[in-house]
Structure formats: structure tokens, C-alpha cells
Amino acid sequence: MAASAGPEIERLISLLAKLPGMGPRSARRATLALLKRRDQLLTPLADALSEAAAKVRACSICGAPDTRDPCAICSDPARDAALICVVEEAGALWAMERTGSYRGRYHVLGGLLSALDGVGPEALGVAPLVQRASHRDVREVILALPATVDGQTTAHYLTDRLVQSDVSVTSLARGVPVGGELDWLDDGTIAQALRARRPA
Amino acid sequence: MAASAGPEIERLISLLAKLPGMGPRSARRATLALLKRRDQLLTPLADALSEAAAKVRACSICGAPDTRDPCAICSDPARDAALICVVEEAGALWAMERTGSYRGRYHVLGGLLSALDGVGPEALGVAPLVQRASHRDVREVILALPATVDGQTTAHYLTDRLVQSDVSVTSLARGVPVGGELDWLDDGTIAQALRARRPA
């Protein structure tokens, strides 16, 4: 690929090309940018990655990646321990946090049930979630899973499993997104928003 | 941005977002992918970046990034020292190398002349190129610069400067790209290909 650049640069390009959204061409561009900005970008990124590799672990309570264990949210007494929001990945957790409108805790599944990919309940650590939900402090489990087939399959499965715990299980509302024009929305979303209509 | 994830993860996200073609969202996705594939991706990438930061330098002859100095091409006796191909960046050098059709040497300018960005001949190291071209072994300097305004300005300037050396200065041919359909080409390319037409 870049035979003349030496094995070190080739290795860097092929590793960068494995990041989501990157390919060989963008990995070469990124490598050039890194080599051009050695002190501002290359060295700091190398350090940040080494530090993340050394320090970041999954929280033993909720599964979120953090340098502390329990993570900042699980160890924050100001966060409401009565609410557990179940998300697929830490990316969804970060998205929820950016809204600034949730003050409960989380549970990161690390994936979704998938018959196709052979992902079963054991791989997702459903048992620890059921155990957490059984704690007497917990009042509600909010399922914030994607509105996809696997997401909904997982939500149904979790609802069934959580029925034994004394908690209410809720899901994020489905409907018209903020700023959404009906003309541009898919039929499924409109139909669901119609079924779930509320007094104005 | 990801207030709950701790400063280490936030720093990693903001550094990844500075790579060309990346933004905050893709940097978060990349960070998640890195944290999920610690041993296959995170640690190797950290090591590759540290190694590049420690070892890769610009070749003192041609300016190409390499772990050796002189670089692999400049120190390869099989490469024709009579030909110097002038490129803007190492990315163009790698592209030339991928074709496998060039066996000469290179000169990496590290940029283009730009009145707008205040890049003058000194910043590009034009003097070292003129000096290299004056060596009695060198027969031809091939300008492989982009077909943009800055690229052409730089090419004209270099041609003027190299007139004093006893070398022929050539440019990559302009014309219809391989596989190019006339219908989809811009007018400038077609006009140039017409002017530069050759016997079939």
C-alpha cells in the first residue's frame, strides 16, 4: 500500500483503517496529518490511547467504560439509584448524558440479542441486570434500546425477565422527532406516533 | 461532550476528532470501537503511534517520512538518480509508488506556494530542490503537482527556478482519466485533453 514508507507507517495506516468510518484512503490522510502535526496530534494521541488502554475498564456495576470502578455515575450519590436506564452501548449512555435530562443510573448491555449473530442472554449479562433490578431501592427500569428488530427483541426479552422483579419497566417514547416534518418521516414512525397520540 | 466518561476518554475523543474526515460523532464511534477491541486495536494503535512519533523523521534528502535517513528510496541504488519527481506531500509519493511505474527518486515539498496562506518559496525548501537538480547525475525533474491554482502556480515557479540547472522539467500529462466518460468530465479537462491530443 505504501511500500516505500517503511513497515512502521504501513502498520499505522492499516490500524487506522480499522476504525469505523475509516478506509485505506482516509487512514493514509490521517497518517499524513499525524506526521505533520507530531507535537500537537501524534504524540498526544499516542499518549491518550496508551492511557486509555492502561486505565479504562468496564464499571463492575453498570458496565460503562471509566477509569474508576465503580464509574463516576455509579459512585455519584446525587444520581437517583431508583432509576436504571438500559442502553446497548456506552455511545447511547453518552448521548443520554448530553441531554442533561436524566439523573438516574445506567446499565450497559454491550450488545443486543441477535439470533443471526448468535448473541444470547448470557453474552449480554442479563442476569446481573435482573439482580440489580431486584434491589429494593430500584423502582423503574427504562429501556433505551434502538428501534430496530434486535433492539425490540431485546426489549421484549428484558421486559419478560424483569417481570419477576418488583419494578416498572418502561421504554423511551416513539414518535415524531423534534424538528421532524411529516413529509420526510417514514410510515412506521408516523403510524407509531398516531397510535401513541396524546392530548394536546 | 461525554462528561460521565472521565477526562481520559474525553481527551481521546477530542484528539480523534481532529483527524481529517473525523468529527465529534465519528470520534465517539471510533473510541467505542477502540475500547471494545482493546487487544486487537487500542493497544496496537497506541504502540504504532508511539513508534511513529519516536522513529519517523523526514528524509534529509527528499523530505519523505521514514524511519531511516536517508529514506528507503533515496538509499536504494536500484532507483534512478537521474529522475526527481516533485510531489506536494508524502500521500502523492505513496500514490505514485502504488502505480509501480516510476523507478526514479522524489522530492517532497511539504506544501504548495500560496499567496492566500502566506506560503513562500523558503517555507517549501525550494533551494534544496534546485541544489539537488544541479547535481550532474540529474537529467529530469518531473512535476507531479495537483492540477489546482496553487499547484500550477508552484509548478510555474519551480520551472522558472530550475531553468538555471541543466535539467529538463516536465509535468504529468493532463487529460481524460482512465475509465473517464466524456459526459461526466468537467469542461476544463475535456478542453485540455483536446489541446493535448495525440496521434491515435
Side-chain angles (χ1 to χ4, degrees):
Chain A
M1 197 191 297
S4 65
E8 291 82 3
I9 297 181
E10 274 183 82
R11 184 160 152 260
L12 179 53
I13 292 172
S14 71
L15 283 167
L16 284 172
K18 287 182 187 168
L19 293 178
M22 296 277 258
R25 181 179 296 265
S26 47
R28 283 195 296 270
R29 278 182 64 211
T31 301
L32 281 173
L34 286 163
L35 291 173
K36 273 208 128 178
R37 302 177 61 198
R38 187 182 299 267
D39 295 336
Q40 305 95 312
L41 200 50
L42 177 53
T43 308
L45 184 57
D47 295 345
L49 286 165
S50 302
E51 209 177 344
K55 292 194 192 164
V56 176
R57 295 283 174 272
C59 170
S60 55
I61 298 177
C62 74
D66 202 318
T67 47
R68 288 144 292 181
D69 188 12
C71 71
I73 294 177
C74 284
S75 55
D76 181 353
R79 307 285 305 219
D80 190 349
L83 295 175
I84 298 177
C85 177
V86 179
V87 293
E88 178 188 0
E89 295 286 0
L93 186 159
W94 297 341
M96 290 283 294
E97 286 299 290
R98 284 198 298 279
T99 69
S101 55
Y102 179 66
R103 297 301 301 161
R105 306 205 170 168
Y106 291 95
H107 194 90
V108 180
L109 289 177
L112 296 173
L113 292 181
S114 170
L116 219 59
D117 299 333
V119 180
E122 308 73 33
L124 295 187
V126 171
L129 170 62
V130 173
Q131 202 184 341
R132 278 185 77 192
S134 308
H135 193 280
R136 63 192 157 74
D137 286 350
V138 178
R139 274 196 331 269
E140 181 178 352
V141 172
I142 302 165
L143 304 178
L145 296 172
T148 59
V149 172
D150 285 350
Q152 294 316 289
T153 306
T154 309
H156 282 132
Y157 177 82
L158 291 179
T159 309
D160 281 352
R161 287 289 301 270
L162 288 165
V163 108
Q164 62 187 78
S165 326
D166 189 24
V167 291
S168 59
V169 181
T170 60
S171 272
L172 291 191
R174 309 265 175 237
V176 180
V178 173
E181 303 224 39
L182 289 198
D183 218 15
W184 297 96
L185 276 177
D186 64 296
D187 302 348
T189 299
I190 297 179
Q192 200 144 27
L194 185 64
R195 278 198 299 273
R197 66 190 178 276
R198 299 169 46 169
Chain B
M1 196 190 297
S4 66
E8 292 83 2
I9 296 181
E10 273 183 82
R11 184 161 153 258
L12 179 54
I13 292 173
S14 72
L15 284 166
L16 284 172
K18 288 182 186 168
L19 292 179
M22 295 277 258
R25 183 179 292 267
S26 47
R28 283 194 296 269
R29 276 182 62 211
T31 301
L32 281 173
L34 285 162
L35 292 174
K36 272 207 129 178
R37 300 176 62 197
R38 185 182 300 265
D39 295 334
Q40 305 95 314
L41 200 50
L42 176 54
T43 308
L45 184 57
D47 295 345
L49 286 165
S50 302
E51 208 176 345
K55 292 195 191 165
V56 176
R57 294 285 173 270
C59 170
S60 55
I61 300 177
C62 75
D66 202 319
T67 47
R68 287 143 291 182
D69 188 12
C71 72
I73 294 176
C74 284
S75 55
D76 181 355
R79 306 285 305 218
D80 190 350
L83 296 175
I84 296 177
C85 177
V86 179
V87 292
E88 178 188 0
E89 295 286 1
L93 185 159
W94 297 340
M96 291 283 294
E97 287 298 291
R98 283 197 299 279
T99 69
S101 54
Y102 178 67
R103 296 302 302 163
R105 305 204 172 171
Y106 290 94
H107 194 88
V108 180
L109 289 177
L112 296 172
L113 293 181
S114 170
L116 219 59
D117 299 333
V119 180
E122 309 74 33
L124 295 187
V126 170
L129 170 62
V130 174
Q131 203 185 339
R132 278 184 77 192
S134 308
H135 194 280
R136 61 188 159 77
D137 286 350
V138 177
R139 278 196 329 268
E140 182 179 351
V141 172
I142 303 165
L143 304 178
L145 297 172
T148 58
V149 171
D150 285 350
Q152 295 314 289
T153 307
T154 310
H156 283 132
Y157 177 82
L158 291 179
T159 308
D160 281 352
R161 287 288 301 270
L162 288 166
V163 106
Q164 62 186 75
S165 326
D166 189 23
V167 291
S168 58
V169 181
T170 59
S171 271
L172 290 191
R174 307 263 177 241
V176 180
V178 173
E181 303 225 37
L182 291 197
D183 218 16
W184 296 96
L185 276 176
D186 64 298
D187 303 348
T189 299
I190 296 179
Q192 199 145 26
L194 184 64
R195 279 198 299 277
R197 65 190 177 279
R198 299 169 46 170

